Amino acid sequence: MSTKVQKSVEVDVPVRTAYNQWTQFEEFPQFMNGVQEVTQLDETTLHWVAEIAGVRREWDAAILEQVPDTKVAWAALAGATNAGAVYFSPLDDGRTQVTLELEYEPEGMVEKAGDALGVVGRQAEADLERFKSFIEGRSGETGGWRGGVNEDLDIGTPSVDAADLSRGDDGKSGISGKAVAAGAVGAAALAAGAVAAKAMSGSADTSAGEGVDVAPATGVDLPPLDVVDVLTLDHQEATELLTQILGTTDLGEARELTDVLITEVVRHAVAEEMYVYPAMRKHLPDGEAAVEHDIAEHKEIEKTMKELEALNPEDPRFTEVVTHLDSVLADHVADEESEQFPQLRASVPREELVEIAGKVETAKKLAPTRPHPSAPNSELFHKAVGPGVGLVDRLRDRLSGRTVA
Ligand SMILES: [Fe+2]
Ligand SMILES: [Fe+2]
């Protein structure tokens, strides 16, 4: 199953400037968060290294059609299956609409989990915003290639069918050992990499070019995520949301994204307190102290979110409080990801971490969705999820008026 993303941004520069900058592909990593490296192999072939939903992926892309000041369309030749086009249209002499349309095939459970959370769409949107600040923040483009490629082709937006060559696994969920092992997702990824590497040994990779990760037709299913993977994905989602909230000028959108963020972070915190912190207490050398510290940070996060709930995005304090939340959350994420999560993986058997992952996912579905800085989250959870409480309602409240838990 492929996923389509369409995102637009208005940039306050003439179409020529916006287009020229976009042709400087090798400079993308300077302003696009997800893109780590772009190498122009020749005029129409690019090698990309990016992080998609927290997983490092590589692909070669061919420019199928390029029309100066109008369009660049591409499709992957090898590696991560994706295709799309970016369109430029002048709004007036000094403003341009840039629209990115892309289709991709998430691969493996980690990416599918990210996909379900809409991570790629948000990443694309945030990257377009970064393109905007980059080009608007300087006196002109850093370069430009004015050549055309198949200008009369008029192929519209290529779909993943155009990226057929990249389907080393016939579109099934395969896994590239190297790509995944290099990813940010940790032990499950490493374990998956090991399984895939084993399955790969002896199966020659015929479709891949030098240094390109192509998912081999291994038919190997990814092992289940462990709790550290699940929580790390949550952290990434929260961080992306915060970037978007701070980047948007649309106040309605800021409110909506903030509500999603609050809901997700409360659920995350509840799940951690119920299942992860007890494991930390039990297994970590300084578990008790680490948990106490983390819970205090949770309270600070929740206090800030409570404040944010009541603030109108028009209020000048809104951005201030979002920025504060961004910093406390970043600290907390850094603590967990650099210290406690690795310690958990070092001291808790993997089966147990996978089991906790399942409990965390369930707890997140059932958890209250409003910040309660004054009470321990686990207690609230038990109170809230008494008999007769509509569980489905709890999920639904993310989209409508939220229920007080
Ligand atoms: Fe936490
Ligand atoms: Fe966390």
Side-chain angles (χ1 to χ4, degrees), residues 231 235 268-269 272-273 276-277 280 294-295 297-298 301 329 332-333 336 340-341:
L231 298 174
H235 290 168
H268 171 86
E272 275 184 348
E273 290 180 29
V276 185
Y277 292 178
M280 277 165 51
D294 280 0
I295 288 184
E297 282 182 343
H298 277 191
I301 290 166
L329 211 55
H332 185 61
V333 164
E336 288 184 344
Q340 291 128 22
F341 291 178

Side-chain angles (χ1 to χ4, degrees), residues 296-376:
E297 282 182 343
H298 277 191
K299 289 303 152 207
E300 175 63 20
I301 290 166
E302 291 196 42
K303 208 176 87 199
T304 313
M305 293 196 303
K306 193 85 204 157
E307 202 180 337
L308 209 48
E309 250 195 338
L311 270 178
N312 191 314
E314 278 158 34
D315 193 314
R317 294 251 308 125
F318 184 82
T319 306
E320 205 180 295
V321 178
V322 174
T323 309
H324 179 65
L325 180 60
D326 194 27
S327 86
V328 284
L329 211 55
D331 279 352
H332 185 61
V333 164
D335 279 355
E336 288 184 344
E337 291 188 9
S338 69
E339 289 174 34
Q340 291 128 22
F341 291 178
Q343 286 177 351
L344 269 179
R345 279 205 173 135
S347 46
V348 182
R350 179 167 154 75
E351 309 79 75
E352 203 173 313
L353 292 177
V354 170
E355 197 189 309
I356 299 174
K359 289 180 175 165
V360 159
E361 292 288 20
T362 308
K364 280 197 321 201
K365 284 184 196 143
L366 309 181
T369 57
R370 302 284 296 268
H372 294 90
S374 56

